[in-house]
């Protein structure tokens, strides 16, 4: 029995059919005033990772605390020099993310 099949058998999950997108985010903290600073998404088709993915860093509006940096291991300097999207100003990247999610069941991890 394949390891994936063993896992499904052990936790009684039926084989998945169709398209699912698994999404993970990182934020500047845990309060409602905090902001998303990274979005990653992976496409799963009929229970198998397809290889299609979406990933983007978003420049935070605020300086992140050392507690937050210790969680996701990315510091303020990284965002300053590597962000592809500035918060609320890059409609094209947001549209690309929404297109990636289109017509799929969305599974969010820590979002």
């Amino acid at each position: 029995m394949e390891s994936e099949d063993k896992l499904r058998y052990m936790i009684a999950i039926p084989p998945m059919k169709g398209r699912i997108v698994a999404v993970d985010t990182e934020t500047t903290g845990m309060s409602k005033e905090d902001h998303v600073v990274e979005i990653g998404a992976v496409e799963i088709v009929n229970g198998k990772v397809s290889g299609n993915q979406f990933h983007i860093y978003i420049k935070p509006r605020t300086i992140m605390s050392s507690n937050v940096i210790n969680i996701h291991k990315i510091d303020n300097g990284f965002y300053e020099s590597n962000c592809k999207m500035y918060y609320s100003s890059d409609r094209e990247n947001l549209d690309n993310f929404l297109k990636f999610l289109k017509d799929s069941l969305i599974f969010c991890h820590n979002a």
Side-chain angles (χ1 to χ4, degrees):
M1 186 182 285
E2 296 286 324
S3 61
E4 184 177 308
D5 293 333
K6 284 181 188 177
L7 178 63
R8 283 197 181 118
Y9 177 77
M10 290 181 344
I11 57 177
I13 297 175
M16 296 178 278
K17 300 291 182 200
R19 184 174 190 263
I20 298 171
V21 174
V23 177
D24 187 25
T25 61
E26 298 297 345
T27 64
T28 58
M30 299 295 287
S31 74
K32 64 181 181 179
E33 291 83 25
D34 288 304
H35 307 285
V36 174
V37 292
E38 182 178 11
I39 302 171
V42 175
E43 179 186 61
I44 302 165
V45 178
N46 297 326
K48 306 274 185 200
V49 175
S50 72
N52 291 332
Q53 58 186 346
F54 179 92
H55 182 261
I56 194 157
Y57 293 108
I58 303 166
K59 184 176 181 180
R61 290 185 194 183
T62 60
I63 301 295
M64 289 181 292
S65 71
S66 60
N67 291 340
V68 172
I69 293 168
N70 286 334
I71 292 170
H72 55 62
K73 309 293 187 226
I74 303 173
D75 64 21
N76 293 293
F78 176 87
Y79 285 105
E80 200 58 42
S81 60
N82 292 291
C83 286
K84 295 177 183 167
M85 180 176 178
Y86 289 87
Y87 200 87
S88 298
S89 66
D90 192 334
R91 185 66 197 197
E92 181 181 349
N93 283 312
L94 178 59
D95 288 345
N96 288 339
F97 180 56
L98 294 175
K99 285 177 190 174
F100 188 79
L101 297 176
K102 187 176 179 178
D103 298 328
S104 62
L105 177 66
I106 302 167
F107 172 82
C108 296
H109 172 71
N110 291 341

